[in-house]
Amino acid sequence: MPSDCNYVTKTKRPLPQGNIDVRDLKIPEQRHPEKAHRPDNAQPKKPSWIRVKAPGGKGYAETHKIMREHKLVTVCEEAGCPNVGECWSQGHATMMIMGEVCTRACSFCNIATGKPPEALDVFEPGRVADAVQKLGLNHVVITSVDRDDIEDGGAEHFAQTIRAVRHRSPKTTIEILTPDFLKCDPSVLEKVVEARPDVFNHNLETVPGLYPEVRAGARYFHSLRLLQRVKELDPSMFTKSGIMVGLGEDAQAVKQVMDDMRAADIDFLTIGQYLQPTPKHHAVDRFVTPEEFESYEKAAYGKGFLMVSATPLTRSSYHAGDDFAQLRAARNKKLGLA
């Protein structure tokens, strides 16, 4: 699942009506049936630098209302992002298209898993575009669940959503956070790139040595190659990727991922702290200190990234609009256009 999806809150959004086999996705055993019989992992107490205020306020309520009126899913809710209060109070929400059930079952992720109960909604791109316009977004992030049950992995649906937003809000910059399209023909990537998002993001999530236990349904070098191909198809498009730390990796492995990303010409790196959604999910190995994040940020800039966000609460879409402005300014400076 290509998103900031390692936090847990109980979603209050009602399930779609009419499904024959309706699951209550507020119940962990039904949200993650494949994890129900796993032994529990202890959930350590969060340090002071991780804690955030509970969401609320007028801006938050208005964003929530718009999301419900347009029957939209957000990764902010489904993944229980800790930054939801701050972002929604400013009218910033990350749209999650193609349903709320992911065909993958990564051990870190809180998105519901299993066989998606519905086909793609042909009206969803229009609803996303309407919501973006109503929220008055200058920059929008659009992500999705993995849909291995669809031949093109949802590539055309991404493209339609990008085009719909562009048509309704031509001045809004668009960032997408996509699946890996692992089981699709390689040509499907062209559909997404041809729709010309401003930023193409796909998260590597962790170091390659942890893939078998953290991201078993994915392949590290396939994900890396996906981002490299985006640059080959459109060298002007910004590419972005992120990893979590605190899963059991060491600093050397993290810096090797940085080198691999730069070899693929990735522009923007995000690094954030992994938090365990439920006792059934992958255990937190440790809480990485703010000082260590600063060290990672310094190292990443030294390796040539145009933009780096490395803090405990960093998530792919957190402060994405401000970060995009800095990213564009950094490229212009590098090209002597500033």
Side-chain angles (χ1 to χ4, degrees):
M1 160 63 201
S3 64
D4 310 318
C5 47
N6 59 314
Y7 296 90
V8 61
T9 55
K10 293 184 177 180
T11 176
K12 296 181 180 179
R13 185 172 50 78
L15 287 169
Q17 299 301 308
N19 293 332
I20 296 175
D21 181 21
V22 176
R23 295 156 58 189
D24 186 345
L25 300 187
K26 296 188 293 292
I27 301 174
E29 291 78 9
Q30 294 188 35
R31 192 174 182 83
H32 303 288
E34 81 291 343
K35 296 178 175 68
H37 300 293
R38 291 183 181 178
D40 288 355
N41 289 314
Q43 294 178 283
K45 183 179 179 180
K46 299 181 183 70
S48 60
W49 61 82
I50 291 290
R51 296 168 195 163
V52 294
K53 294 181 179 179
K58 183 178 179 180
Y60 177 90
E62 182 62 24
T63 300
H64 184 274
K65 179 182 177 183
I66 291 172
M67 294 301 103
R68 296 297 78 80
E69 285 178 347
H70 291 75
K71 300 178 182 178
L72 294 175
V73 180
T74 70
V75 75
C76 320
E77 297 168 287
E78 296 304 310
C81 179
N83 304 316
V84 63
E86 177 184 345
C87 294
W88 280 34
S89 67
Q90 300 171 23
H92 299 161
T94 298
M95 317 294 178
M96 191 171 82
I97 60 176
M98 302 198 292
E100 59 189 337
V101 178
C102 185
T103 54
R104 304 284 175 89
C106 298
S107 67
F108 68 87
C109 184
N110 193 45
I111 301 299
T113 55
K115 182 179 180 181
E118 69 283 313
L120 296 182
D121 181 351
V122 296
F123 299 107
E124 184 176 53
R127 295 202 308 275
V128 170
D130 286 343
V132 170
Q133 184 181 47
K134 283 190 177 181
L135 289 166
L137 297 181
N138 295 319
H139 185 85
V140 63
V141 181
I142 302 166
T143 187
S144 78
V145 291
D146 274 285
R147 290 296 298 260
D148 292 322
D149 58 317
I150 300 170
E151 186 175 0
D152 74 348
E156 179 60 31
H157 199 74
F158 257 105
Q160 290 174 1
T161 304
I162 294 165
R163 289 193 290 264
V165 172
R166 194 75 78 195
H167 175 73
R168 189 64 62 88
S169 303
K171 294 183 179 180
T172 299
T173 49
I174 302 171
E175 180 173 331
I176 58 170
L177 175 54
T178 76
D180 59 12
F181 304 116
L182 178 64
K183 300 182 180 181
C184 309
D185 187 281
S187 64
V188 306
L189 182 63
E190 297 171 18
K191 297 181 183 180
V192 185
V193 175
E194 286 171 359
R196 294 196 56 78
D198 296 279
V199 181
F200 192 111
N201 186 2
H202 172 65
N203 284 334
L204 297 185
E205 307 291 10
T206 187
V207 302
L210 290 177
Y211 262 54
E213 57 188 281
V214 173
R215 200 175 176 226
R219 300 293 180 269
Y220 177 80
F221 287 105
H222 171 86
S223 288
L224 200 62
R225 176 59 181 150
L226 182 85
L227 289 156
Q228 186 178 42
R229 285 193 61 234
V230 171
K231 278 291 191 183
E232 292 171 355
L233 291 167
D234 186 347
S236 69
M237 189 171 291
F238 289 109
T239 51
K240 178 177 176 180
S241 190
I243 62 169
M244 300 168 289
V245 290
L247 284 157
E249 73 296 321
D250 60 26
Q252 182 177 354
V254 171
K255 290 176 182 177
Q256 181 61 58
V257 170
M258 293 180 190
D259 289 336
D260 292 343
M261 287 187 182
R262 288 304 303 133
D265 202 18
I266 293 169
D267 300 302
F268 188 171
L269 168 65
T270 61
I271 306 177
Q273 171 70 50
Y274 167 67
L275 296 180
Q276 185 181 341
T278 76
K280 302 297 183 182
H281 283 75
H282 192 286
V284 174
D285 177 70
R286 70 188 186 95
F287 290 107
V288 179
T289 66
E291 291 75 21
E292 289 176 273
F293 278 103
E294 289 178 10
S295 175
Y296 282 141
E297 179 181 296
K298 184 177 180 180
Y301 275 122
K303 292 177 183 294
F305 287 96
L306 289 178
M307 182 71 192
V308 182
S309 178
T311 72
L313 290 175
T314 288
R315 297 295 173 266
S316 292
S317 54
Y318 188 45
H319 293 164
D322 292 339
D323 287 347
F324 176 71
Q326 293 182 53
L327 180 64
R328 186 160 50 186
R331 172 182 282 178
N332 288 341
K333 182 178 180 180
K334 183 178 180 180
L335 297 175
L337 303 175

